[in-house]
Amino acid sequence: MTVGEKQTGAGNPPEVLDGPFSTRQLLRIDEALRLADQGTGLVFSVFVGGLDEPVRQHAERLHRQLAEPDRSVLIAVSPNQRQLEIVTGRHARKRIPDTYARLAALSMVAAFGGGDLAGGIINGLDQLASHAGQG
């Protein structure tokens, strides 16, 4: 469920889910996802929450559950565990090799270390999309 999806009744404001982001930050992340999708033809997703051990395998399971895993890029972030995984599908990996995903991850980690979770995700999405180019 996303913010605003569930209505509490006619005329009532949507329920806001608890989480690390303000409404403004969620809107900025949503816009970054939309621009990345439109600009590349790939499908970008972000997961923020706890990841089971081993973390990489959990992120890969989440990625496989996406609608188009071959064309998808998943950024999985677990702030409490201090973990970040970027998973690319078969087609997406041709356009975003692991080397470039690692560079985006380093940039994101630097922002996270400075306390900017939303900004790190947005910058990471931009870097990944820029490298992937138009599809």
Side-chain angles (χ1 to χ4, degrees):
M1 177 186 322
T2 59
V3 172
E5 184 176 319
K6 182 178 177 185
Q7 294 287 331
T8 57
N12 292 335
E15 290 182 18
V16 176
L17 302 176
D18 289 333
F21 304 113
S22 68
T23 301
R24 184 177 190 294
Q25 289 171 322
L26 286 171
L27 291 171
R28 289 179 55 224
I29 292 169
D30 186 59
E31 177 71 3
L33 285 164
R34 186 184 65 75
L35 291 172
D37 288 356
Q38 287 179 348
T40 64
L42 298 174
V43 181
F44 287 81
S45 299
V46 174
F47 172 86
V48 178
L51 294 166
D52 298 333
E53 294 287 343
V55 171
R56 179 67 185 184
Q57 283 80 2
H58 187 186
E60 289 171 346
R61 280 194 312 274
L62 291 171
H63 181 266
R64 284 192 300 271
Q65 294 173 6
L66 297 173
E68 297 181 72
D70 283 345
R71 293 184 341 105
S72 295
V73 178
L74 172 68
I75 298 173
V77 182
S78 178
N80 292 340
Q81 295 168 287
R82 301 178 63 87
Q83 295 288 326
L84 166 67
E85 293 289 338
I86 299 174
V87 183
T88 53
R90 186 174 44 89
H91 178 71
R93 191 171 305 112
K94 293 175 185 174
R95 295 176 51 199
I96 306 172
D98 289 345
T99 303
Y100 291 99
R102 281 197 237 12
L103 290 172
L106 287 173
S107 173
M108 293 170 70
V109 167
F112 298 163
D116 190 4
L117 184 60
I121 291 169
I122 292 164
N123 289 335
L125 284 165
D126 182 58
Q127 288 180 1
L128 293 167
S130 293
H131 184 74
Q134 294 184 338

